Amino acid sequence: MTQAFVPRFRRPLVVLLCAQLLLTACGATEPPALSSATRWPTPAPDSRLQVAQTVPNFEAPSATHCARPVQTYETPGMARVARDRRELADTDAMKDYSLRRPGSPSVSAAKSMPAPAAEPLASAIAEAAAPAAPAAPRISGGLQPPAQAPRPANEPVTAGMVDDNADFSEYLAFRGRTQVVHRERDISARYLLQVRDARGAVVPDAEVAVQAANGAAMWARTDAGGRAWLHPNAFDKAQSPVYEVTVRRNGRQSTAFLQRGQKNAVDVVLDGKPGAVPARARLDLVFLIDATGSMDDEIAKLKTTLRTIADQVAKLPSRPDTCFGLVAYRDRSDEFLVRRHDFTNDLNAFQGVLDALRAAGGGDYPEAMNEALNETIHKMSWRGNGTTRLVVLLADAPPHLDYGGPQYDDDMVAALGKGIKVLSVGASGLDKQGEYIQRQIAQYTGGRFVFLTYKEATNPASGPGTQTVHDVGNYSVQTLDKLIVRLVSEELGKLPAGG
């Protein structure tokens, strides 16, 4: 069949099918590249590319700097909503009383007066039912733990770490033996993408689009080492035999193919003149924190160690230009659902917002992690091309999976599309469901699972130590601040020389 007889909207399908036939017949490791006329795929529907309309349109990071005062945004919880409604009702009652007094403004004039502005409510809050009755006290998940002897103020917090992408077979085994409620994304088929330039140097923060002929697609950005993990089954239930992988950065673009079942990595070389390497690495670092009652100890420790973390990061060999952000969350029944402090490079100002954070509220075990992760990924002012983006998620409970709104699996997919890695930190009391979900988020985004350790695994009050209740093995222990700095350092150390 000649190209003249192929409708324009069917040509990409024909190209992919021909590529598949060539692979099968010739045993080639890569199909021939598409013509230079192939346009860069975007999440918007495109009949020539047959991209499915259900593909989310992830807005790419675009901020240029973070040298600004701390900007705070808050989604109120039901406790705040109820109080505001009471205050509004009291205001209306006083207004009604004043209308009946001699010499008061007319009713029509009073009605024209502006009413007190109510804070905007998140859709999840608008749909929320009345809060449940308080549950019995428990160690984690929002409620304050039973009174215990205070620990020394300068006592360190110790932690271990596992890399589920480095030991992927063990991670799959963990998933198989851990039967908990979660949002399923099939990651059993996994392929490594490596992007380099013509000199052989890695290309960080390159945009990646992976597409099947049936329109299924995924989006990613390479990490500081020019790599990204691709999971076809997570977005293509039809399990197409071949995928087109398109990569671009700084106006350069290259295409390769991923054949299902191949053993080697997908290597893409970006042709053309390499872009300039920045003199300093750029790092956007967000602390995403469960701020319910049971997190009081972890928050207190983080306040005292943030300055150490920041100072040590600033002294790394790459001398990173670092922006800090903070997102705190509680639950629907609390004073606030999510409180977001956007990026700033004013460490003193950022320390101030962290010092003002208090652990309170909660109630039931799950918390508003879904809503907080969604705001972190989509509403923070992440900087654009050439930035290393990390989230430190510190929590002792899983997200609510029993109502609508944002879902963590959708946002971990979006995080990969924006080049955001999540370092999930499991605090004391995190159960099997919480561990499963935190490891899901970290593995999919290319991050690590970190967990606090104690002298006695089941007793956080026993003080720092090497023991944990989590399903992990072969780990070493450091203080939490040193471990976070180490992970940040390892990530920045993957960047090409000079950036």
Side-chain angles (χ1 to χ4, degrees), residues 290-314:
D290 177 346
T292 53
S294 60
M295 289 291 294
D296 184 69
D297 182 61
E298 283 81 0
I299 290 174
K301 295 296 184 183
L302 185 61
K303 290 176 183 178
T304 61
T305 58
L306 174 65
R307 175 70 69 174
T308 302
I309 292 172
D311 287 345
Q312 292 184 16
V313 168

Side-chain angles (χ1 to χ4, degrees), residues 56-135:
N57 186 6
F58 300 142
E59 184 180 354
S62 60
T64 57
H65 64 86
C66 65
R68 59 174 71 91
V70 177
Q71 301 179 46
T72 300
Y73 308 87
E74 186 169 296
T75 302
M78 292 180 65
R80 171 81 59 79
V81 173
R83 190 183 70 237
D84 288 349
R85 286 175 177 170
R86 288 195 300 270
E87 292 175 353
L88 186 59
D90 291 343
T91 300
D92 289 342
M94 289 299 296
K95 186 187 298 182
D96 184 61
Y97 171 74
S98 67
L99 291 176
R100 294 193 294 270
R101 296 179 58 195
S104 63
S106 66
V107 173
S108 59
K111 288 183 177 179
S112 66
M113 294 179 180
E119 293 185 18
L121 306 182
S123 59
I125 294 178
E127 299 168 359

Side-chain angles (χ1 to χ4, degrees), residues 13 25 40 72 84 124 184 238 292 316 370 401 413 448 471 475-476:
L13 176 61
W40 168 255
T72 300
D84 288 349
E184 180 58 38
T292 53
L316 291 173
N370 279 330
L401 300 182
V413 169
R448 313 285 181 87
D471 188 356
Y475 63 89
S476 59

